[in-house]
Amino acid sequence: MATRTPTQRKAKQTIARPPKPRMTRADKLAATRSTLMAAATEIVGAEGYGDASVAKITARARVAQGTFYNYFQSQQDLFDQLLPELGTQLLDHIRARIAGSPDGLKREEIGFRAFFEFLAETPEFYRVLNEAETFSPKAFRDHMSNMIRGFVRALQRSQEKGGLPGYSTDELEVIVCVLLGARNYLAYHFVTRTGHVGPVPDWIVRAYMKFVAGGLLYGGTSGPTYRPKRAPASNGADAAGVEGSRVVTTGADSAVLELRVQDGHRDPTGTVRRGVLLDLAASVAELAASGERVPPPVLLNLAVSVLAPTRAGRLVASAQCEPRRAEAIHVALTIHEDRRAGAAVMTAQATFTEPVRSPRKTDR
């Protein structure tokens, strides 16, 4: 038998691997619980809550059934913890993806893609979520509350920075429910139902973001309840719409407004807030549509085709009624920087209708 030289013995000692650190009792407990939760996710995701059992879960986790009760009081106790824990993992995944991204539409797109990434990695989530309302109402309520509260806080931060013009703070919860509902139904229709595996297709993202962009950027501009803000006249000028605006010209079917941009009209970056532009647009359109009509027509819709950021100190809005069609009044409008021939900031189309007249009371 050959004898190893000191150099050979030293080389072997050099490549020897260090011993693995020993797991503490707490580490072992956490690892076993995590294994049980992962097994429960797989069983419920494949067979549903109704066919899941402690025996199946422990068999999948490769632990004794008695061990299960060291971590959960009952099978229902595990069910009540399953969805909220998966929901926390989902939120952690989304937060990691959007960390450092700017507020606004890009952030929403990243979060939307991250939701589908998580669904691809954890396809069982959809069934765990949708059956929980029946088999684990507590888990379902806790999960929905966590999701809604977190999303609302994110939108509140965006609103504080000048985002979501046209929405009140109370309305943010409605927006969150709409967006979460959209994700859930899109997940079913394009992923769960079809068995799609992998990232969400780009065309779905584009369609979703078109919808979101219209709703979040131009919120509050559609429907008969939207009315532009009114400001009192000052210095003999006829103020209309946004504070600091004045009527330049007005006719039977046209109008021009000028706005001297004030500090309160700008967001923290110095850009004129979208809500200010939308109010100015609605105001000039209403002036053009009103003419000599008493009472004035009702704004039904303000459809914006171009809305560009601006830091101009002066804006000029002009509107012109189009030939009347049926009961509707259509108004084309533009907002330019500094003068009517300046750079275009907005182009839009407003639709008005005549107000419903209340029948006169007759003497009896």
Side-chain angles (χ1 to χ4, degrees):
M1 181 176 179
T3 303
R4 288 179 297 175
T5 66
T7 302
Q8 291 173 325
R9 287 196 297 269
K10 184 177 180 180
K12 186 172 182 179
Q13 292 172 358
T14 301
I15 63 174
R17 295 179 180 177
K20 293 182 179 180
R22 296 182 61 182
M23 293 180 66
T24 65
R25 175 176 172 78
D27 291 337
K28 292 178 181 179
L29 291 172
T32 302
R33 183 184 181 281
S34 178
T35 300
L36 286 167
M37 293 296 282
T41 300
E42 293 175 4
I43 295 295
V44 174
E47 303 181 29
Y49 286 89
D51 290 330
S53 66
V54 172
K56 290 180 179 179
I57 292 169
T58 52
R60 180 67 61 89
R62 296 183 179 180
V63 300
Q65 288 193 41
T67 302
F68 177 91
Y69 295 98
N70 293 332
Y71 299 88
F72 307 100
Q73 296 178 2
S74 63
Q75 177 176 290
Q76 188 62 48
D77 181 33
L78 179 145
F79 287 169
D80 290 343
Q81 296 183 44
L82 183 59
L83 178 57
E85 186 154 319
L86 285 176
T88 299
Q89 294 174 17
L90 168 61
L91 289 175
D92 289 344
H93 179 80
I94 293 175
R95 289 187 185 114
R97 287 288 186 269
I98 65 176
S101 62
D103 288 322
L105 296 178
K106 189 61 180 178
R107 190 181 184 91
E108 174 60 24
E109 180 182 339
I110 294 171
F112 181 75
R113 290 183 183 275
F115 170 79
F116 283 92
E117 287 175 4
F118 181 83
L119 205 59
E121 296 171 2
T122 314
E124 302 88 356
F125 175 77
Y126 189 84
R127 189 167 188 175
V128 171
L129 168 64
N130 287 284
E131 290 190 9
E133 188 173 10
T134 300
F135 290 93
S136 184
K138 178 182 182 301
F140 187 81
R141 288 193 301 270
D142 290 347
H143 169 76
M144 294 304 295
S145 295
N146 290 339
M147 295 294 292
I148 291 172
R149 281 198 303 267
F151 211 151
V152 167
R153 285 195 296 268
L155 293 187
Q156 285 174 337
R157 289 192 293 270
S158 178
Q159 196 173 56
E160 289 168 359
K161 297 177 182 178
L164 282 79
Y167 289 104
S168 68
T169 302
D170 293 339
E171 291 174 326
L172 297 184
E173 195 167 335
V174 177
I175 298 173
V176 167
C177 290
V178 170
L179 297 180
L180 291 178
R183 293 181 184 186
N184 191 35
Y185 278 96
L186 289 171
Y188 168 74
H189 190 70
F190 292 108
V191 178
T192 305
R193 182 180 65 89
T194 62
H196 172 78
V197 177
V200 59
D202 287 340
W203 70 269
I204 294 178
V205 178
R206 286 195 299 270
Y208 174 80
M209 292 308 300
K210 282 182 184 178
F211 169 78
V212 172
L216 295 185
L217 292 185
Y218 313 133
T221 62
S222 298
T225 59
Y226 176 79
R227 306 300 296 172
K229 299 175 182 177
R230 292 298 175 197
S234 59
N235 299 327
D238 293 326
V242 186
E243 182 180 358
S245 64
R246 70 179 186 88
V247 177
V248 177
T249 62
T250 183
D253 58 1
S254 64
V256 177
L257 288 180
E258 177 189 76
L259 172 66
R260 295 287 181 178
V261 179
Q262 303 175 9
D263 290 342
H265 297 151
R266 302 182 187 276
D267 65 19
T269 68
T271 303
V272 179
R273 296 180 186 274
R274 293 187 180 95
V276 172
L277 296 174
L278 293 168
D279 277 336
L280 182 62
S283 297
V284 72
E286 187 176 68
L287 280 175
S290 297
E292 299 178 354
R293 298 180 181 89
V294 179
V298 177
L299 176 62
L300 290 179
N301 179 265
L302 178 61
V304 179
S305 55
V306 174
L307 181 57
T310 179
R311 297 185 180 183
R314 177 173 174 264
L315 298 172
V316 177
S318 57
Q320 177 70 49
C321 290
E322 297 178 356
R324 183 157 183 162
R325 288 171 283 180
E327 298 300 319
I329 302 170
H330 298 277
V331 181
L333 65 99
T334 58
I335 299 178
H336 293 85
E337 292 182 340
D338 300 324
R339 60 191 186 282
R340 294 181 68 177
V345 174
M346 176 191 287
T347 60
Q349 180 87 16
T351 304
F352 294 81
T353 188
E354 297 289 357
V356 177
R357 298 177 181 273
S358 301
R360 293 183 178 180
K361 295 182 180 179
T362 57
D363 296 330
R364 294 185 178 180

